[in-house]
Amino acid sequence: MPGFSLLAHACATEPLHVANLLHGRTLYRLTSYSSGGDAVTSASQQTVLPREALAEVETHPDMVLVCGPAKLPGGIPDDLAVWLKRLAASGVLLGGIGGGTEALARLGLLDGYQATLPWQRFEAFAAAHPRVRLSQQLFEIDRDRMTCGGGTAAMDMMITLVESHHGAALASRISEYFVMERIRMGDEPQQIPLRSRLAHAPASLVEAVQLMEANIEEPLSTHELAEHLGISRRQLERLFKKYLKSVPSRYYLDLRLQKARRMLRESDQPAGEIALQTGFSSAAHFSTAYRNHFGMTPREERLG
């Protein structure tokens, strides 16, 4: 769709091309389409010439990805709407890249599904599409729908898809081909800038979260945070409840456990060391907190 991200488009399609290259035979055949068959200009003013117009499509694809600008202008072209609805009725896997998620949602094709899109659109999307179970993760693959936060998240999503089709070994080789440090998992949250997450919050709340993020190894108590900010503990708790729907201690624990999860997935450090680096007094305390939060122990996380 006009205004699409060329980066997201490439991140979604290149892993499939490289899968063919590394496997030595054709696993995926790629075809690009556009409404009316005309050339489409990306957000960076690069032009892509689709192979076919939607009206000329005779084959029945296994998967269709809609790549659009983060904020969709205007409506969905009639030929695209008709085509996508027909594919959905036939059980074709449909995906949204960037604003492609909104295109699917506007057609009712994400109702009842878990889906995500670029973080800048969370608030407006949630208000406009209450029947979609909005996620703030990097990507979501829910039955016959797949969506992502755009940009490089599209690459993680597609490599994960290849892994489900052809195994972890090929997925790892694709990651190495692109010099990726690792394949990010779909359950990882999008890294939303703090100022954007708390755009309408008082400066004291923003400062409180910044203090938490800067003191993971030696966590501050709620009383110490409030004292540093020059407000009462009760005031601080009210701010967290109003703007973050949480209490300070729970929010802080989530920050620490999310960091621990990244360390478990990305490093070979012993769980005991990770426990200390994320503010837990013992490996046993860390393991219990981790299991209560994620439904698995640190050891099970690594084995998975």
Side-chain angles (χ1 to χ4, degrees):
M1 301 181 73
F4 72 97
S5 163
L6 200 62
L7 172 64
H9 181 275
C11 284
T13 56
E14 286 297 303
L16 304 183
H17 161 69
V18 172
N20 294 340
L21 182 70
L22 296 178
H23 194 271
R25 67 182 180 87
T26 302
L27 302 175
Y28 301 96
R29 289 186 174 85
L30 300 172
T31 303
S32 57
Y33 306 101
S34 73
S35 176
D38 299 323
V40 182
T41 302
S42 71
S44 60
Q45 300 302 300
Q46 308 299 306
T47 300
V48 173
L49 183 62
R51 188 175 299 177
E52 292 183 65
L54 297 180
E56 300 168 354
V57 178
E58 296 180 356
T59 58
H60 207 61
D62 299 302
M63 172 176 65
V64 169
L65 303 176
V66 183
C67 191
K71 185 177 181 181
L72 282 183
I76 310 300
D78 290 342
D79 57 350
L80 177 59
V82 169
W83 190 54
L84 290 174
K85 287 180 179 179
R86 187 170 69 244
L87 294 175
S90 300
V92 172
L93 175 61
L94 298 180
I97 309 292
T101 297
E102 289 205 57
L104 295 175
R106 288 186 190 181
L107 298 174
L109 302 180
L110 290 178
D111 289 355
Y113 285 90
Q114 191 95 352
T116 191
L117 75 166
W119 62 264
Q120 298 93 332
R121 296 291 298 159
F122 282 166
E123 189 174 340
F125 184 93
H129 305 288
R131 298 180 67 181
V132 180
R133 293 186 289 121
L134 181 61
S135 153
Q136 296 189 8
Q137 312 291 53
L138 281 175
F139 63 87
E140 292 286 351
I141 301 178
D142 183 2
R143 292 163 287 165
D144 53 357
R145 298 291 183 271
M146 53 193 296
T147 53
C148 72
T152 57
M155 182 171 286
D156 298 285
M157 180 174 74
M158 298 310 291
I159 295 178
T160 299
L161 183 71
V162 172
E163 180 177 357
S164 72
H165 292 162
H166 302 289
L170 180 59
S172 293
R173 291 176 66 199
I174 296 170
S175 176
E176 292 168 1
Y177 185 95
F178 288 113
V179 201
M180 292 172 64
E181 182 181 351
R182 66 186 181 92
I183 304 168
R184 294 176 297 176
M185 300 179 73
D187 58 11
E188 296 184 41
Q190 293 185 40
Q191 296 302 309
I192 306 169
L194 180 61
R195 290 290 177 182
S196 296
R197 295 203 311 266
L198 303 175
H200 305 296
S204 54
L205 179 60
V206 175
E207 188 177 347
V209 174
Q210 288 173 331
L211 280 169
M212 289 178 173
E213 292 177 341
N215 292 275
I216 296 293
E217 189 169 347
E218 297 182 8
L220 303 171
S221 68
T222 302
H223 176 75
E224 287 172 324
L225 285 167
E227 194 172 60
H228 184 90
L229 297 169
I231 61 176
S232 70
R233 175 174 177 154
R234 184 166 293 180
Q235 283 177 298
L236 183 61
E237 289 173 342
R238 280 201 296 265
L239 288 173
F240 269 81
K241 185 176 182 180
K242 179 177 181 180
Y243 293 97
L244 294 171
K245 306 295 187 288
S246 185
V247 296
S249 58
R250 171 57 58 181
Y251 187 88
Y252 208 166
L253 179 62
D254 179 67
L255 281 179
R256 292 159 54 207
L257 288 170
Q258 288 292 348
K259 181 173 182 180
R261 189 179 218 183
R262 290 194 297 272
M263 293 174 74
L264 284 166
R265 290 176 172 180
E266 297 171 21
S267 76
D268 296 323
Q269 291 186 69
E273 288 184 16
I274 292 175
L276 293 175
Q277 290 178 44
T278 50
F280 293 92
S281 57
S282 69
H285 179 208
F286 172 53
S287 183
T288 299
Y290 200 94
R291 185 178 64 250
N292 290 340
H293 195 78
F294 295 116
M296 64 176 69
T297 64
R299 183 174 180 275
E300 289 168 338
E301 180 75 72
R302 278 218 160 124
L303 291 175

